[in-house]
Amino acid sequence: MKLEKCMIWIKKTSLIFICVLLISGCQSHYTVDYGHSSLYSKQDLKQAVKIILKEFNTWNGCSLRHLQYLGDKKAKNELKYCRSLKKKDYQEAVVFSSSFHTSKDVEGGFESHEEYTDWQWFLARTKHGKWELLTWGYA
């Protein structure tokens, strides 16, 4: 009887341990560097990150490592480019850089088991409007 109870306890404990490993292995742990901006509040930048994450989370087999705001100078320099993408009169732009890792079963044309760095995200908005994700990739 004691052996039977011991075996049941081992099975339950093993199952819990496996579940914990699976859950922790599927989470994407990333950092965000908002840097310093005299153009945008941290809340503005957080809203842009939220939009990036919404897109990124649709990419199966990719684990985000890091996002970084590339600064006000880059944002100003890329505003004209952002306007040209949608022929829209945007007044504000932000550019983020990211790094991410791909798994064995990655989708979307990425190489498996690769580390992608300096993957850029371009967002723009009309004055105090909502950010629009315009394009992403290597610039």
Side-chain angles (χ1 to χ4, degrees), residues 79 81-83 85-86 88 90 93 121-125 132-136:
L79 181 57
Y81 171 66
C82 289
R83 286 177 178 154
L85 291 173
K86 288 213 175 174
K88 200 168 179 180
Y90 295 112
W121 303 82
F122 294 77
L123 299 92
R125 67 183 183 182
E132 294 178 44
L133 181 58
L134 304 177
T135 191
W136 55 86

Side-chain angles (χ1 to χ4, degrees), residues 19-35:
C19 288
V20 168
L21 283 177
L22 288 173
I23 290 169
S24 64
C26 294
Q27 293 177 345
S28 182
H29 299 286
Y30 61 89
T31 57
V32 179
D33 179 359
Y34 295 100

Side-chain angles (χ1 to χ4, degrees), residues 9 20-21 35 40 72 97 119 133 138-139:
W9 181 83
V20 168
L21 283 177
Y40 307 111
D72 292 348
S97 177
W119 188 268
L133 181 58
Y138 285 122

Side-chain angles (χ1 to χ4, degrees), residues 63-115:
S63 297
L64 185 62
R65 302 283 195 233
H66 187 71
L67 273 173
Q68 178 181 0
Y69 174 59
L70 293 181
D72 292 348
K73 184 176 179 181
K74 178 79 169 172
K76 286 179 183 179
N77 290 343
E78 298 298 341
L79 181 57
K80 186 175 180 180
Y81 171 66
C82 289
R83 286 177 178 154
S84 74
L85 291 173
K86 288 213 175 174
K87 308 290 187 231
K88 200 168 179 180
D89 189 29
Y90 295 112
Q91 282 87 43
E92 300 176 313
V94 290
V95 183
F96 281 81
S97 177
S98 65
S99 63
F100 60 93
H101 184 79
T102 58
S103 69
K104 175 186 171 198
D105 301 320
V106 69
E107 297 175 2
F110 294 108
E111 295 292 324
S112 62
H113 296 296
E114 289 292 324
E115 194 72 28

